[in-house]
Amino acid sequence: MAQAIDTASLCVDRMGQLIMLDAALNRGALTVDALDDFTVTSASSIAWLKTHADPLAESPIETIARLSLATLKLEVAPQVELPGVGRVDFLVNNAVIVEMDGRAHHTDFGAFARDRERDRAAAALGLTVLRFTYLDAVTRPDTIAADVSAAIMARNRRC
C-alpha cells in the first residue's frame, strides 16, 4: 500500500496522493510513519503530506473540504460527536457544522429525513449547519471555505 501511494506521486497531484493516504490511514492500512520510507515522492511533498494527513477522513470529499477549510486558519475539528446531533464531519470554531454529503449515504428518504432532524438538533444547540456536495468539493472547493467564512462572520456580527 505504501509503495503504491509513494509511486502515485508520479501521476497524481498532492491532493490526489493525500486522498489515497487519508483512505489508507483511516482503514489502518498504514501510519504516517510510512512516509519516512517513501523514495519516489519528493521531500517537500512528503512534508506537505505529513502536515495535511488525517486518519479521521472518511471520504475523498472530506479530505478536499478539510484542505479548503485549512485556508481559513480557523479551528477545524473533524468527526466531532455532538449531543442530540451525532457525529458531524467538521465543527468549525465551535460554531459551524460542515457536512459533506456524498450521494451514496444521502439518497434515500430515511437518510434525508435524519439529516433534517440532525440539522434541527444542531440549530437548537445554536450551531449553523452548512451542507456541501461531491460537486462542491471537486469543482468548487474554494466555495466551501468562502461559505464557512461568511457564516462565521455573520454569526460574529449577531453576538
Side-chain angles (χ1 to χ4, degrees), residues 35-53:
L35 292 163
D36 294 334
D37 298 326
F38 279 18
T39 58
V40 178
T41 304
S42 70
S44 64
S45 289
I46 289 171
W48 185 87
L49 290 168
K50 284 182 176 182
T51 298
H52 296 291

Side-chain angles (χ1 to χ4, degrees), residues 33-144:
D33 293 339
L35 292 163
D36 294 334
D37 298 326
F38 279 18
T39 58
V40 178
T41 304
S42 70
S44 64
S45 289
I46 289 171
W48 185 87
L49 290 168
K50 284 182 176 182
T51 298
H52 296 291
D54 185 355
L56 297 177
E58 295 183 336
S59 70
I61 62 175
E62 285 184 21
T63 297
I64 295 166
R66 188 181 73 249
L67 264 285
S68 174
L69 292 169
T71 65
L72 298 175
K73 307 277 193 259
L74 301 170
E75 179 186 333
V76 179
Q79 305 304 329
V80 175
E81 187 75 30
L82 296 171
V85 178
R87 190 174 53 161
V88 300
D89 294 333
F90 303 102
L91 180 60
V92 181
N93 275 28
N94 289 313
V96 176
I97 293 171
V98 174
E99 292 283 20
M100 300 307 299
D101 293 344
R103 283 189 68 172
H105 301 290
H106 299 274
T107 56
D108 67 46
F109 180 75
F112 181 84
R114 279 188 301 280
D115 285 344
R116 293 335 167 263
E117 289 171 13
R118 289 166 38 101
D119 291 354
R120 291 190 302 273
L125 294 174
L127 300 169
T128 301
V129 178
L130 296 179
R131 292 184 173 278
F132 298 95
T133 66
Y134 171 87
L135 282 176
D136 292 326
V138 299
T139 64
R140 305 176 300 141
D142 308 357
T143 300
I144 296 169

